[in-house]
Structure formats: C-alpha cells, structure tokens
C-alpha cells in the first residue's frame, strides 16, 4: 500500500498556454462590440451632399469595456442617412476604397460649424472612439498608447471592419486622438500633433506644405498637385459702444416719482447690455491648388475681401441682463421672504388710533345708533392722510419707504374713481366697477383662465404690476409692504363708506382667477349688498305709510308684464325694495312676526283646508311677478314668483372648507340628516318667500314652481266621464321624513326682506379684510405671481409681433402650455416656477439679440425694399443657425456692412480723437492715404488649412491613396491632424 501511494504524492505543474490574457480579452471585447453594432464588412454609401454635416442628424451609440480593472467607453458616432439603392452594386466594385478614405478627399463639407472635432479634422461620416470612461482618468504613457493602438489594429484585422477606430490619449481637454482604418490591402493611420507654442515655420502655408510633403514621402519626382482649402477667421468685439439700440431706463426719474399710470401699468422689456458679444467672420478659399497663391512669412495673397466665400456666426453674451427677466426674478425672490408686514414696517401697522380702540363702547354705539355714517369725498389726499394718521405713531414720515408722490400716483392708477371729486360720485364709481369682460374670442385676454391669474384690466392685475415695479425701483420688500398696507386701508375705507371697488367684474367670485382676486370680488359683493340695503333703508324713511306691506304687492304687480326669463335680473333689483323694517327683523323674527306665523302653524295642526282658509286672510308680501299659466291648486288664484334671497357667493377656499365639513359628517343616518339640513338653508328661505307671496299655497304649488320634474301629471277619467289632468308629487317627495316636507312644515310666510340673511355681508367682509391684513409680502407675491407671469407673456407676445421671429412663437406657445399646467394647481413648486421664468428670460434675450443685429446691420435704415428683406432674412438666420453664409461674400449688401463694421472698429482702435478730426478736415486724397495705412481687418484669430492629395505609398508602384492634413492655428493653440494612407498588399 505504501508503494502504491508514493506516485500520488508527487506534484506536477501544468502551464495552460491556451488561457486568454487580459489583453486578449480586451481585444475580444472590442470585436464583440463591433459585431453587435454590425460594423463588420465592407462599408458603403452614397457620396456626401454639400452641407449635410451641418443639416443632417448625428447619432451615437455607447457601450463599456474594460482592460483588467481600467474601464473604457466605446462610442459609435455616425451621420444618420437613408439607405441608398446602389449599395448592392457598389459592393461588387473591385479595389474600391473604403468609404472613410473616400471621405478624406471629399470637399463638400469642409469646416462644418457644428460637429464632432474628428469630423472637422478628418471629414469622416462615421467612426468609433475608445476613451477612458472616467473624466479624470487618462492614458499618458507611450507604451499604453501603443498597446491600445495595437489592440485596435488587431480587432480591425480580425473583424474586417472598415470603420475608423480612434483611441483618446492624454488629458481629455487636449482632444488628442490616434487611430486606424483598414480596408482590403490598404490602411490609413490617423496621427496628431498638439502644441501650445507654434514653430515659426508653420505659421504660414509654405511651411505647412513642406511638412505635408515630407510626411508623405512620395517617391515620385513630379509630385502630384496638392489641393488646398483655407479659412481665416476674424473676430469683431468692440462694437457695442456704437450700435446698441436699447435705451436704459431712467432710474432717477422713476425714483423721483415722475412716472405716469402707463409706466406703472406696463412691464419693461429689453437687454441692459448688448446681448451679442462678438461677430466671427470666416473667409474661405474652398478650392486652391499649389502655386496659385503665395503665403509665406514675408508676403500673403490671402486678402479677406477677395475671398470667394464669407460666412458669419455670432457669439451670444452669456445670460445678458434683461429688464423683464430682472423684474420677474426679483419679484420671485419675494416668495421666499418670511417677514410679516408688521415686522417690516413696525408693530401694529394696521391699528386704529388710540382713541378708537380705547373704549369698546364706541363699537357698541356704532351698532345701536341709527344715525347714518358720514361719507366723505373720496380722494387720493384723503386716502394718504388717513393712512399717515394711522401709522404716524409707529414710524416717522421720513422713514416711509414710498414718498407721497409715488404713492399718490400708484393709488390714482389703481383707483381712478378717486380722482372724481363729484358731490355724489357713487354712480360714476359704480359704472367703473361694473365693466364686463371682453368677448371670449380674445385669446390673449382669456389667458387668465389658463394661468389662474386675473383679467388684464382688473384691479388685481394692476396691483401685481405696481408691486413688481415698487419691488424693483422703490424700496424692495419695504415698499411692497407699505403699498399693501395702504391698499388694505383703502379696502377698509371703501367697505365702511359703501364705495364699490373699481376694476372688478360684477357677480360672485370668479373661480377661474387667483384667490386674492376672488377675495376682492367677495368684498365687492359685500359692499354692493350693504350699499343696496342702506339705500333701501334711506329711501323708505321718507315713504313710510301704514299700508307699507301692500306696497310690496303693488311692486310685484308692476312686474307682471315682464318676461319670466328676466327673473334673475329682477332678483338683483329686489334688494333695493327692502323697507326700513329690515333692520329690525334682520337676525331674528320679532314678536309681531311670530304672531303672524302662529295662524299658519295652527292651520297646519287643524288640517290643510283650515290652514288654507286662515292663510288666505294673510296679505301677500314680496311678490315679483305672476308665473303666467300656473295657479294655486286649492284657492285657484294666480301663482306668483316670490322675491328670493340670492345664494351666498363663495370663494374657492370657502367651498373647500364647506366640503371638508360636510365630508366629516360621515355616512351615518344622523350625519346624512344633518348634512341635508345644512344644505337646505337656501331651500327653506325660498319656501318662506313663496308662502309670503302666495297665501293659501301648499307644498305641491311650491314644487310645481321650484322643481317641476317632481310634480307628475297624468290624464284621468272622472266619474262623469271627462278627461281630467290629475297631479301628484314624485316618489322621492313622498318618502317619510323627506327634507322637503320637513322644511315646508317649519317654513313661515316671511318675505325675503324680513328673513335672516343667507349671506351675512358684514361678517364675510370682515373675514376678507382680516385675510388681507394678515397676508405677508411672501404670501402676496405667491398670490400675484401668476398675474406677473401672465403680464410677462403678454409683453413678450407684444414685443414679438414687432420682430416676427418664428422660433420665438414656438417658445411662447410652450411657455403658455407649461404655465397653464403649473399654475392651475395651488402652491406650485419653486423649481417649476423658476423654469417658467427662465423660459420667459430666454425669449426676451432672443428678441433683444434680434433687435441688436437689426440695428447693427441697419435693416430699418435700408431704403431698398429687396435689400431690406434680404438683410432681415440674414439676421433671422444668424439667430437660428450656427453659421450663415454671406451672399455675394464681401461685395454683397450684408458683406459690405460687415466690412464697414470691421473698418470702423480698426479705426477706433488705432486712431486718436485728434487724428480723427484732422482726417475729417483733410482732402479726399489725404483721407485715402491715411486709410491705407490701417488694415481694414485685424490679424486673423484663427487660421485653418486643409491639404489633400492622392499619391502612391510607400512605393512608386503602390496604389494611389488619399492623403490629408488639417492644420489649425490660434493665439494659444496649434494642431496638426494627419491621415496618411499606405498600400499594405506587399508591405
């Protein structure tokens, strides 16, 4: 056994040389990616059209591979093209060069303005780039670079891929690439040189030609001609002092208060600085052959005026300061403030004088004394005086954020009726406040319903604009708090003195508007009710007579000829007919009213017929007009439509509060009953009005008028054989404990003017005024921001119509769509609001750029209509396209203007003011000589040269293959990018 175990104890080491190394796995992974992207095989495509690199769509695909633990990203860049029908035929052509090699010689897309740098340097339509995945990592050592290049070469050879493969080396900011492209028997090497300092021999064309020829190393003695494309770029920077059209606002005049209503009602617009910082002129010689021109260190034939092609691009200022954008941004900052108005202006800014709050008996006496409240003339002076009186003890006059002149101007703009110093100005004020909205066909006007802001002619909208102006020019948040305090005091003054608020539409609060606008409309409703009640009381003081109750019946009879459809209008007028006794029977019924109702209640107990007989003896009250065809079922008298109370208007927060209360009652029987009782207050009021107007009526009569569908009529044959129409209540009205029956039994014959008010205007007005008082500047800004955005959109649309820019119209539609989605919900997110403001600012900047370019190119000054249209088209293209070619180069209308701009800039930079005067006074010959001394153009900022040729490499008998070298020279950068092809059949 021991002998058998000895062989097993020996250890044999076996080295498996078939196991793949990390390098081989890396190459295999590259091949897998190329296979997945279907880049294997012969690449084919149609010849490139002119300008397709700029107008076409570039796409890319990415993947990730790793070499050991070092990750690389692989990206395929390609121009999206429609497949050509000739692909099959092209594949059959023998010895055809790979498509990338053909692209090296293509001259249709030199110097594309917007493309990947490798597209500009090599003219390729498709390529793959392998780069370190992390931005902070780089391939720096030469050995690693060679290893990656070898990997690429092996992967291309194994797969037969003809798409060029590049590897990014060194730091990413240097944009250094090496690469390779392989085809059947041919190979192209992509090499690059990047230097900070330029060798002197390479600053001109002759030196670049020497290095190109030496690199090719063509064995042929008569070297084939080299094709050249040259572009010189000139930059114009110092034009803003001459050609900026925007007039900055006169801040001194605005601060001094020399501002009218129009300025306060409009937002400013335009850039405070030139939104166009630079103009880049590219002069191009697209096709030159060697020997045609001379360009060396001594002399150059490259005169930009003689260039056959000119193209222009503009560099836009980064985030130019624009007035409208600044207004919106500063107003939006208010939303983040946390101080209250009291903290900003001093505590108890809204307190009354000490005498008025010292003794509670003053408040009680106001409630009990019947004496009318004295109404003073409404004027700006009175308003400011009362406001000053209330806040004098809290801060000095000199400390007020707003001076009197500015404050008076704003208040006059907000309340134009304050300027009417009429003896009885109530009629004119009423007419101001009852303006209806314009027709719904006006799309711009109806934006308020999408933005949930306020109509553009409303008080809320004007208030938002004034607060925005004050926040920017007149003291910031302190000025806003001061104006808001004055505004609330004015609201209080109008409520107490029965002056309607101007700039608000009639009727209940419009739920399409912002909550603050609804609150002001609610206050206006309260003022209207209180005013009608006071006027009715005052009028009936002189006309009181013992037969006053029958007077109501007479008024109702007067309306008998009216159209029933006009009932709603008449109900609005009915408040004026309330008698003086309304004050006595306001909140509860008096003893005499109870006595009147006792007969009705006794009648109900004794039976319907007896009740009807007794109720007939009651005098009818509160009639509006006869119904028409209907008569009471039992007495047979005409049925009269009663004067009823209008339902209480409600704002959206009150509706939400009411719905929450009703929902909390639950689904139990008791909760449902209580919910029905709460919702039947208006029904009970209408029943009491109906009983007062129609003595002797029954529930069936009320249902026939109030809910006709709940009274079912059918034809029945009676005992005598006659067809008679018999009616009865619907099934839901016959349910035991029906709310309608219960309400009818408890209802007393009380006319609307004697009922408890459904809408307590005094309480609601005080609630609104309290709501206004407690608003912080931040809350106010949140309420009014939709109005400001609404105004900004209208302003942008107005300005756009003057310039007619198609791209701006699309953006405005996007802003409206975006804003309507964000603003219709309460408390929108700050981020979304910032996005809307940023969109508006971008539109303002585009319009400002258009106006700047129009002024620089003198579009409006051009007398020739055709030339003006060409210049306008040219300016629009500059805004929308990365680069625009100049028709006629330097000799066209746009080219001559650009030439003058450069000439003026050169003169301004080299000529002193004294020399300028001497030149103007000199003769024309002297001026010509002086002008010749200064070049029309500055030295070129960039020089780009592309050299191409087709020569056999490496031997004279090799296949002629494309060679290309691109050179770019700027002040701080020099780059050579070469693509050199060689025949690999025998090498």
């Amino acid at each position: 056994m021991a002998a058998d175990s000895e062989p097993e104890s020996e250890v044999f080491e076996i080295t498996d040389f078939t196991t793949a190394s990390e390098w081989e796995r890396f190459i295999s992974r590259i091949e897998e990616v190329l296979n997945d992207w279907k880049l294997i095989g012969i690449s084919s495509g149609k010849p490139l059209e002119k300008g397709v690199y700029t107008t076409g769509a570039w796409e890319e695909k990415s993947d990730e591979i790793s070499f050991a633990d070092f990750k690389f990203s692989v990206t395929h860049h390609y121009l999206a093209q429609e497949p050509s029908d000739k692909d099959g035929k092209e594949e059959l052509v023998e010895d055809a060069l790979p498509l990338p090699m053909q692209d090296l010689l293509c001259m249709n897309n030199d110097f594309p303005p917007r493309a990947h740098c490798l597209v500009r340097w090599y003219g390729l339509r498709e390529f793959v780039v392998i780069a370190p995945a992390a931005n902070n990592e780089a391939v720096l050592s030469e050995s690693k670079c060679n290893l990656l290049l070898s990997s690429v070469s092996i992967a291309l050879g194994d797969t037969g891929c003809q798409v060029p493969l590049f590897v990014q080396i060194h730091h990413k900011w240097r944009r250094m690439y090496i690469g390779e492209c392989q085809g059947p028997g041919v190979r192209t090497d992509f090499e690059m040189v990047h230097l900070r300092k330029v060798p002197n021999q390479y600053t001109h064309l002759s030196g670049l030609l020497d290095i190109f020829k030496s690199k090719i190393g063509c064995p042929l003695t008569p070297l084939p001609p080299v094709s050249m494309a040259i572009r010189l770029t000139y930059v114009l920077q110092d034009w803003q002092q001459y050609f900026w059209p925007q007039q900055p606002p006169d801040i001194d005049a605005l601060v001094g208060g020399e501002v009218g209503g129009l300025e306060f009602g409009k937002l400013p617009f335009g850039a405070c600085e030139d939104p166009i910082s630079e103009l880049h002129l590219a002069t191009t010689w697209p096709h030159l052959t060697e020997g045609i021109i001379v360009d060396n260190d001594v002399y150059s034939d490259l005169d930009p005026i003689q260039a056959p092609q000119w193209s222009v691009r503009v560099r836009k200022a980064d985030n130019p300061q624009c007035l409208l954008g600044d207004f919106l941004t500063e107003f939006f900052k208010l939303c983040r403030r946390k101080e209250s108005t009291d903290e900003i202006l001093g505590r108890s800014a809204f307190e009354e004088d000490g005498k008025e709050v010292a003794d509670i008996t003053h408040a009680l006496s106001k409630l009990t004394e019947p004496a009318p409240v004295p109404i003073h003339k409404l004027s700006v002076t009175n308003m400011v005086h009362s406001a000053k009186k209330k806040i004098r003890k809290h801060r000095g006059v000199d400390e007020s954020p707003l001076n009197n002149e500015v404050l008076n101007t704003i208040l006059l703009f907000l309340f134009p009726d304050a300027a009417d110093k009429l003896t009885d100005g109530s009629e004119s004020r009423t007419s101001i406040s009852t303006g209806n909205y314009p027709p719904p066909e006006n799309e711009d006007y109806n934006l308020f319903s999408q933005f949930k802001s306020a109509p553009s002619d409303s008080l809320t909208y004007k208030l938002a604009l004034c607060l925005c102006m004050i926040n920017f020019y007149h003291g910031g948040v302190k000025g806003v708090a001061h104006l808001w305090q004055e505004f609330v005091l004015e609201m209080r003054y109008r409520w107490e003195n029965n002056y309607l608020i101007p700039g608000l539409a009639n009727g209940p609060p419009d739920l399409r508007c912002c909550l603050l606008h609804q609150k002001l409309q609610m206050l206006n409703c309260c003022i209207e009710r209180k005013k009608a009640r006071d006027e009715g009381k005052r009028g009936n003081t002189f006309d009181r007579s013992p037969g006053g109750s029958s007077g109501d019946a007479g008024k109702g009879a007067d309306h008998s000829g009216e159209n029933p459809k006009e009932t709603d209008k008449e109900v609005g007028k009915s408040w004026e007919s309330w008698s003086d006794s309304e004050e006595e029977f306001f909140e509860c019924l008096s003893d005499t009213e109870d006595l009147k109702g006792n007969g009705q209640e006794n009648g109900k107990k004794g039976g319907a017929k007896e009740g009807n007989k007794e109720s007939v003896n009651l005098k009818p009250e509160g009639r509006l007009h006869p119904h028409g065809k209907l008569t009471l079922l039992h007495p047979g008298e005409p049925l009269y439509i009663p004067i009823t109370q209008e339902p209480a208007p409600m704002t959206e927060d009150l509706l939400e509060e009411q719905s929450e209360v009703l929902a909390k009652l639950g689904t139990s029987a008791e909760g449902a009953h209580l919910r029905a009782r709460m919702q039947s207050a208006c029904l009970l009021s209408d029943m009491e009005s109906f009983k007062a107007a129609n003595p002797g009526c029954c529930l069936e009569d009320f249902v026939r008028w109030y809910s006709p569908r709940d009274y079912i009529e059918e034809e029945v044959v009676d005992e005598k054989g006659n067809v008679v129409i018999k009616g009865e209540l619907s099934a839901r009205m016959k349910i035991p404990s029906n709310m309608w029956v219960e309400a009818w039994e408890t209802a007393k014959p009380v006319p609307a003017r004697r009922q408890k008010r459904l809408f307590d205007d005094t309480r609601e007005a005080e609630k609104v005024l309290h709501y206004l008082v407690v608003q912080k500047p931040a809350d106010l800004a949140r309420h009014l921001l939709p109005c400001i955005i609404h105004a900004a959109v209208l302003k942008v649309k107005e300005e756009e119509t003057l310039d007619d820019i198609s791209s701006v119209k699309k953006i405005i539609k996007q802003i409206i769509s975006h804003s309507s989605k964000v603003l219709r919900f309460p408390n929108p997110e700050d981020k979304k609001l910032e996005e809307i403001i940023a969109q508006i600012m971008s539109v303002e900047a585009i319009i400002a750029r258009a106006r700047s370019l129009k002024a620089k190119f003198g579009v409006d000054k051009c007398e020739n209509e055709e030339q003006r249209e060409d210049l306008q088209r040219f300016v629009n293209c500059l805004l929308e396209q990365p680069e625009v070619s100049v028709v006629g180069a330097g000799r066209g209308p746009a080219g001559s203007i650009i030439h003058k701009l450069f000439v003026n800039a050169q003169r301004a930079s080299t000529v002193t003011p004294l020399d300028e005067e001497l030149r103007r006074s000199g003769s024309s010959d002297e001026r010509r000589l002086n002008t010749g001394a200064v070049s029309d153009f500055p030295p070129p900022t960039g020089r780009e040269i592309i050299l191409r040729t087709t020569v056999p490499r490496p031997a004279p008998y090799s296949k002629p293959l494309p060679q290309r070298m691109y050179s770019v020279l700027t002040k701080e950068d020099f780059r050579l990018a070469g693509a050199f092809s060689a025949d690999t059949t025998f090498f």
Side-chain angles (χ1 to χ4, degrees):
M1 294 295 292
D4 294 339
S5 62
E6 284 179 3
E8 295 178 2
S9 62
E10 295 180 8
V11 178
F12 294 94
E13 291 187 3
I14 301 174
T15 303
D16 186 4
F17 292 98
T18 61
T19 304
S21 65
E22 293 289 349
W23 182 41
E24 289 172 316
R25 290 195 189 98
F26 178 66
I27 296 171
S28 174
R29 186 74 184 106
I30 294 175
E31 294 174 6
E32 285 179 18
V33 172
L34 295 178
N35 272 298
D36 291 342
W37 290 344
K38 300 180 179 179
L39 301 180
I40 309 303
I42 299 173
S43 58
S44 60
K46 55 185 178 182
L48 294 170
E49 300 176 359
K50 191 173 183 64
V52 70
Y53 281 179
T54 305
T55 58
W58 286 90
E59 298 179 3
E60 61 180 57
K61 290 184 284 190
S62 294
D63 205 342
E64 196 170 273
I65 59 175
S66 58
F67 193 126
D69 57 348
F70 194 93
K71 292 185 178 180
F72 290 89
S73 66
V74 186
T75 309
H76 178 211
H77 300 266
Y78 59 98
L79 179 69
Q81 287 183 294
E82 297 178 1
S84 61
D85 299 334
K86 300 180 181 179
D87 289 354
K89 297 179 181 178
E90 288 177 359
E91 289 180 6
L92 301 176
V93 178
E94 293 184 4
D95 299 333
L97 289 176
L99 207 57
M101 295 188 185
Q102 298 176 33
D103 291 343
L104 293 176
L105 296 178
C106 179
M107 306 180 72
N108 288 334
N109 291 282
D110 290 343
F111 315 112
R114 186 184 290 164
H116 192 280
C117 58
L118 291 174
V119 177
R120 190 176 184 88
W121 297 339
Y122 296 117
L124 301 172
R125 74 178 78 180
E126 185 178 22
F127 53 92
V128 175
V129 177
I130 301 176
N135 289 326
N136 56 353
E137 293 182 347
V139 180
L140 299 176
S141 68
E142 187 176 357
S143 60
K144 289 182 180 178
C145 294
N146 290 332
L147 183 65
L148 286 174
L149 194 59
S150 301
S151 306
V152 165
S153 183
I154 294 171
L156 290 175
D158 290 347
T159 58
C161 173
Q162 294 188 357
V163 176
L165 234 67
F166 290 89
V167 176
Q168 186 168 13
I169 58 176
H170 292 284
H171 297 288
K172 290 202 171 184
W173 63 267
R174 295 188 66 181
R175 297 190 296 174
M176 287 282 289
Y177 298 89
I178 54 174
E180 189 173 306
C181 176
Q182 293 186 13
V186 292
R187 186 186 73 243
T188 300
D189 295 315
F190 297 94
E191 304 172 10
M192 199 167 292
V193 175
H194 183 223
L195 302 173
R196 281 189 180 276
K197 292 185 179 180
V198 190
N200 291 331
Q201 65 267 31
Y202 301 144
T203 57
H204 43 77
L205 179 62
S206 58
L208 293 172
L209 278 170
D210 291 341
I211 191 175
F212 182 57
K213 291 176 182 177
S214 64
K215 181 64 180 176
I216 292 172
C218 180
L220 300 179
T221 46
L223 190 68
V226 177
S227 172
M228 301 179 294
I230 303 173
R231 168 174 283 208
L232 304 181
T233 302
Y234 300 88
V235 176
L236 179 65
Q237 291 177 319
D238 55 349
W239 59 7
Q240 56 265 29
Q241 54 184 328
Y242 303 107
F243 292 94
W244 179 227
Q246 176 73 27
Q247 292 295 326
D250 189 355
I251 297 177
D252 294 333
L254 288 168
V255 172
E258 297 175 11
V259 115
L262 289 177
E263 283 77 7
F264 270 109
K266 291 184 179 180
L267 289 174
F269 190 87
C272 298
E273 56 184 334
D274 196 338
I276 303 294
S277 58
E278 294 178 356
L279 181 140
H280 293 203
L281 170 66
T283 57
T284 308
W285 290 262
H287 185 60
L288 294 173
T289 52
E290 185 183 359
I292 290 182
I293 62 167
V294 177
D295 181 48
N296 53 37
D297 54 352
V298 179
Y299 174 79
S300 177
D301 286 331
L302 299 175
D303 182 6
I305 295 294
Q306 305 300 324
Q309 289 181 9
W310 276 21
S311 57
V312 177
R313 68 167 67 197
V314 291
R315 184 176 177 183
K316 300 157 186 173
D318 297 330
N319 301 320
Q321 184 184 2
C322 296
L323 292 173
L324 181 60
D326 288 350
F327 264 59
L328 291 174
T329 305
E330 289 300 317
F331 192 79
F332 182 65
K333 287 178 182 177
L334 278 181
C335 299
R336 298 195 173 107
R337 301 294 291 258
K338 296 181 180 179
E339 307 94 327
S340 66
T341 307
D342 289 351
E343 291 170 348
I344 294 169
L345 299 178
R347 291 187 68 247
S348 303
F350 289 95
E351 264 186 24
E352 299 291 334
D353 287 343
K355 293 180 182 178
E356 297 178 6
V357 296
D359 192 355
I360 195 65
T361 56
H362 290 281
L364 295 174
S365 63
K366 283 186 179 180
L367 290 175
T368 55
E369 288 176 5
V373 180
I375 300 175
H376 304 287
K377 292 181 182 178
L378 182 61
S379 66
V380 173
T381 310
N382 288 340
M383 282 185 269
V384 176
H385 178 70
S386 63
K388 277 186 178 180
K389 187 175 67 174
K390 291 178 177 63
I391 64 177
R392 188 179 291 125
K393 62 178 178 179
H394 306 295
R395 66 171 188 269
V397 178
D398 297 334
E399 298 173 7
S400 298
L402 296 177
N403 62 51
N404 289 349
E405 198 171 354
V406 173
L407 183 61
N408 292 356
T409 307
I410 297 172
L411 292 175
L412 268 177
F413 172 66
L414 294 176
F415 305 105
D417 59 344
D420 301 335
K421 297 183 179 180
L422 303 174
T423 307
D424 185 11
S426 58
E427 293 181 6
S428 63
R429 294 186 189 102
T430 304
S431 64
I432 291 173
S433 66
T434 56
N436 292 323
Y437 292 156
E441 288 80 11
N442 190 338
E443 182 182 350
D444 288 349
Y445 186 86
N446 286 316
L447 273 179
F448 77 89
S449 60
Q450 298 181 47
F451 289 0
K452 201 169 178 58
S453 57
S456 55
D457 57 353
S458 67
L459 174 66
T460 315
Y461 185 92
K462 293 177 182 178
L463 175 65
L465 294 179
C466 290
L467 288 173
C468 193
M469 179 78 74
I470 283 171
N471 179 56
F472 198 79
Y473 284 132
H474 300 285
V477 68
K478 285 191 175 182
V480 170
H482 187 186
L483 177 59
W484 180 240
Q485 173 188 289
E486 298 292 338
F487 185 85
V488 176
L489 289 173
E490 172 66 13
M491 293 299 101
R492 167 71 67 180
Y493 181 81
R494 286 177 176 267
W495 158 246
E496 291 176 352
N497 295 280
N498 292 351
Y499 287 143
L500 289 173
I501 305 169
L504 299 175
N506 280 341
D510 189 347
L511 300 181
R512 299 175 299 171
C513 301
C514 64
L515 183 58
L516 185 64
H517 187 78
Q518 296 177 40
K519 292 290 183 183
L520 295 178
Q521 283 186 302
M522 172 68 88
L523 184 59
N524 225 18
C525 290
C526 297
I527 296 172
E528 193 174 353
R529 299 283 178 96
K530 179 170 174 279
K531 181 181 176 183
R533 190 170 63 252
D534 291 347
E535 286 179 357
K537 168 183 160 184
R538 196 182 307 121
N540 283 307
T541 302
F542 302 102
D543 300 333
R544 187 178 298 168
S545 62
S549 58
S550 63
D552 289 320
K555 288 182 182 179
D558 291 340
H559 296 292
S560 58
E562 298 284 348
N563 190 334
K565 294 181 180 179
E566 298 181 3
T567 304
D568 295 338
K569 297 180 182 178
E570 297 299 334
V571 169
K573 294 180 180 179
S574 66
W575 297 96
E576 298 178 7
S577 65
W578 287 14
S579 71
D580 181 54
S581 57
E582 181 201 359
E583 192 74 26
E584 301 168 31
F585 298 95
F586 201 61
E587 297 296 343
C588 59
L589 298 172
S590 69
D591 295 337
T592 54
E593 190 66 24
D594 289 337
L595 290 173
K596 282 186 179 180
N598 284 338
Q600 182 77 1
E601 289 176 6
N602 293 334
K604 288 172 188 168
K605 294 175 182 177
K609 291 183 180 179
E610 294 179 9
N612 286 340
K613 290 177 182 178
E614 291 181 12
S615 60
V616 169
N617 297 328
L618 294 175
K619 295 179 180 178
E621 292 183 280
R623 288 178 170 179
L624 184 60
H625 59 78
H627 185 280
K629 299 178 181 178
L630 293 182
T631 58
L632 299 180
L633 293 176
H634 298 297
E637 294 182 2
L639 187 149
Y640 280 85
I641 294 176
I643 296 171
T644 57
Q645 292 195 59
E646 293 180 18
M650 301 188 79
T651 55
E652 62 183 26
D653 60 334
L654 293 178
L655 287 170
E656 186 177 351
E657 183 181 334
Q658 185 187 56
S659 62
E660 288 178 2
V661 170
L662 294 176
K664 286 179 181 177
L665 292 175
T667 57
S668 63
E670 185 181 354
H673 186 74
L674 186 56
R675 189 185 300 112
R677 289 285 301 273
M678 290 175 63
Q679 291 176 314
S680 64
C682 186
L683 175 66
L684 181 63
S685 170
D686 292 342
M687 284 182 172
E688 291 185 339
S689 300
F690 188 82
K691 280 189 174 183
N694 299 282
C697 61
C698 59
L699 178 60
E700 286 81 354
D701 295 320
F702 177 76
V703 170
R704 287 161 67 208
W705 165 64
Y706 206 82
S707 180
R709 287 182 293 181
D710 282 310
Y711 189 76
I712 303 168
E713 293 181 338
E714 55 183 357
E715 295 181 352
V716 180
V717 179
D718 61 2
E719 300 172 352
K720 299 179 180 179
N722 299 326
V723 178
V724 180
I725 297 176
K726 184 181 178 182
E728 61 178 356
L729 294 175
S730 63
R732 78 181 184 110
M733 290 293 178
K734 295 178 180 179
I735 298 174
S737 302
N738 180 24
M739 184 54 63
W740 284 59
V741 176
E742 286 187 7
W744 182 259
E745 290 175 355
T746 56
K748 300 176 182 179
V750 183
R753 60 187 174 79
R754 295 181 182 273
Q755 295 174 4
K756 181 180 178 180
R757 286 180 290 177
L758 290 176
F759 176 58
D760 189 346
D761 50 74
T762 307
R763 185 181 64 179
E764 293 300 328
E766 290 299 335
K767 285 170 63 177
V768 171
L769 290 170
H770 176 73
Y771 180 86
L772 300 180
V773 166
V774 298
Q775 294 297 302
K776 297 179 181 178
D779 302 329
L780 191 60
R782 290 274 178 191
H783 282 307
L784 295 178
L785 189 61
C787 295
I788 296 296
I789 293 175
H790 179 191
V793 169
L794 291 182
K795 184 68 178 177
V796 166
K797 290 187 78 171
E798 176 191 341
E799 298 291 335
E800 185 275 330
T801 53
L802 304 175
D803 296 276
D804 193 21
I805 307 169
S806 57
S807 61
V808 170
K809 292 179 180 176
K810 295 178 183 176
I811 301 175
I812 291 175
K813 288 182 179 178
Q814 293 173 2
I815 293 173
I816 293 174
S817 174
H818 187 198
S819 302
S820 61
K821 292 175 184 176
V822 172
L823 297 176
R824 71 175 57 166
F825 298 106
N827 303 320
E829 297 177 14
D830 285 1
K831 187 178 180 181
K832 293 181 178 179
L833 293 172
E834 287 172 351
E835 289 174 1
I836 295 172
I837 293 173
Q839 285 180 308
I840 295 173
M841 291 170 68
S842 70
V843 171
E844 183 183 20
I846 293 172
I847 296 175
R849 291 186 192 114
R851 292 179 179 176
S852 175
L853 289 173
K854 282 175 69 175
K856 290 173 174 59
F857 285 93
V859 175
D860 296 330
K861 296 179 182 178
C862 185
E863 297 179 357
N864 188 328
E865 185 68 27
E866 187 176 348
Q867 284 189 2
R868 187 189 297 119
E869 291 179 1
D870 290 342
L871 286 175
Q872 181 66 54
R873 202 176 301 114
F874 177 74
V875 166
N876 290 342
C877 291
L878 274 178
L879 290 170
E880 298 173 3
Q881 299 177 15
E883 192 171 279
V884 182
S885 60
V886 180
V887 179
R891 300 167 191 81
S896 60
I897 292 173
I898 295 169
H899 184 201
K900 288 178 185 176
L901 290 173
F902 275 99
V903 169
N904 293 336
Q906 282 295 98
R907 288 179 182 175
S909 62
T910 56
V911 179
T912 62
L914 182 61
D915 294 338
E916 184 69 26
E917 292 298 323
L918 292 172
R919 181 182 298 173
R920 287 176 183 170
S921 61
S923 64
S924 59
D925 293 337
E926 291 174 355
R927 283 200 295 266
R928 196 177 300 114
L929 289 172
N930 289 333
T931 306
V934 180
S935 173
D936 290 355
F937 290 86
T941 307
R943 295 171 63 97
E944 295 174 273
I945 297 175
I946 300 175
L947 304 177
R948 299 182 185 89
T949 189
T950 305
V951 296
R953 283 185 75 221
Y957 50 83
S958 299
K959 184 188 296 185
L961 295 172
Q963 319 293 329
R964 171 183 172 126
M965 187 178 78
Y966 170 89
S967 165
V968 58
L969 169 63
T970 62
K971 188 180 291 185
E972 299 177 351
D973 191 63
F974 174 69
R975 187 185 301 272
L976 291 176
F980 304 104
S981 306
D983 189 347
T984 59
T985 305
F986 300 107
F987 299 95

